[in-house]
């Protein structure tokens, strides 16, 4: 999997989608908070007041508030419907090696103790069986900030892997060797 920076993200993903290039990229968010959303399900006045950056998710998945050190992954693969569950399973196994919390995969979310969401994915068919999957892995979310940004009530509490003794560098080392 190829590591990219935030400035390369839109070009890299647009190019891969347009040219149907299979493979994966990931980024570790730097010092800025980024909102990935359809824009109609967020508190626009708050976002404008705080001068927060919004990426248009183009109706793909729910709102994600990415904090510094969070990891986002984008993968294109023919018949790749199993990529999201595979990555969540890989993360679950990594966490299980380090910690003994109650870890489960519930739909498209990786949950700890049945209430803390630490990762999630969404997949869409772009045509010709080319499946685009995005994965978000949280490390240090600010629940109060998320509550101010998102208009939808939280059913699952965002939690970071840092709270469970896992760093983004640990997960990045696993992603570098992840064979798509």
């Amino acid at each position: 999997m190829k590591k990219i920076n935030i400035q390369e993200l839109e070009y890299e993903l647009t190019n891969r989608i347009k040219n149907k290039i299979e493979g994966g990229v990931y980024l570790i968010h730097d010092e800025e908070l980024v909102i990935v959303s359809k824009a109609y399900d967020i508190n626009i006045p708050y976002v404008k007041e705080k001068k927060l950056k919004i990426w248009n998710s183009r109706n793909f998945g729910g709102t994600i508030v990415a904090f510094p050190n969070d990891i986002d992954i984008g993968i294109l693969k023919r018949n790749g419907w199993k990529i999201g569950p595979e990555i969540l399973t890989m993360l679950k196994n990594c966490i299980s090696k380090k910690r003994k919390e109650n870890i489960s995969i519930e739909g498209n979310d990786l949950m700890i103790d049945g209430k803390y969401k630490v990762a999630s994915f969404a997949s869409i068919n772009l045509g010709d069986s080319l499946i685009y999957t995005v994965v978000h892995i949280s490390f240090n979310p600010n629940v109060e900030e998320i509550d101010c940004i998102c208009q939808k009530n939280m059913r699952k509490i965002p939690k970071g892997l840092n709270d469970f003794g896992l760093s983004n560098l640990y997960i990045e080392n696993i992603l570098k060797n992840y064979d798509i």
Side-chain angles (χ1 to χ4, degrees):
M1 203 171 317
K2 176 183 175 184
K3 182 177 184 176
I4 60 174
N5 63 43
I6 201 163
Q7 291 78 24
E8 298 170 298
L9 179 66
E10 188 167 354
Y11 170 79
E12 185 73 33
L13 291 177
T14 302
N15 182 52
R16 284 174 179 266
I17 291 168
K18 179 180 157 190
N19 295 304
K20 300 184 181 203
I21 301 168
E22 290 185 76
V25 298
Y26 72 95
L27 71 88
I28 298 176
H29 287 274
D30 55 18
E31 297 305 313
E32 59 183 325
L33 179 152
V34 176
I35 303 163
V36 182
S37 177
K38 298 171 253 190
Y40 63 78
D41 59 355
I42 60 174
N43 181 343
I44 296 292
Y46 178 84
V47 169
K48 284 183 179 179
E49 176 189 329
K50 296 291 184 179
K51 298 179 179 155
L52 300 173
K53 187 179 210 177
I54 303 173
W55 291 346
N56 186 342
S57 66
R58 296 170 176 83
N59 290 327
F60 183 60
T63 297
I64 296 292
V65 181
F67 291 90
N69 297 316
D70 284 359
I71 295 177
D72 281 322
I73 304 167
I75 299 172
L76 279 84
K77 183 163 178 71
R78 297 235 178 265
N79 302 308
W81 288 113
K82 293 181 181 177
I83 293 288
E86 285 173 5
I87 290 177
L88 291 190
T89 299
M90 175 193 63
L91 289 170
K92 178 183 175 190
N93 293 339
C94 291
I95 296 166
S96 295
K97 288 177 188 174
K98 292 259 192 186
R99 303 291 297 222
K100 300 301 175 201
E101 274 77 21
N102 176 19
I103 306 162
S104 60
I105 297 172
E106 298 178 19
N108 66 329
D109 298 319
L110 184 60
M111 303 292 293
I112 297 181
D113 293 335
K115 60 182 175 180
Y116 300 115
K117 181 169 87 168
V118 296
S120 60
F121 79 91
S123 297
I124 188 170
N125 186 341
L126 298 176
D128 298 329
S129 298
L130 187 63
I131 309 304
Y132 176 45
T133 299
V134 294
V135 181
H136 178 78
I137 307 167
S138 295
F139 287 89
N140 193 26
N142 180 325
V143 176
E144 291 81 22
E145 186 79 9
I146 293 169
D147 201 35
C148 289
I149 293 168
C150 297
Q151 292 183 331
K152 182 178 158 186
N153 288 334
M154 278 187 244
R155 288 179 290 133
K156 302 166 192 162
I157 302 165
K159 197 89 163 161
L161 289 180
N162 283 351
D163 293 327
F164 301 96
L166 292 156
S167 71
N168 62 359
L169 296 177
Y170 174 76
I171 300 300
E172 179 181 19
N173 284 329
I174 294 161
L175 290 176
K176 286 178 185 176
N177 298 312
Y178 183 71
D179 187 25
I180 299 169

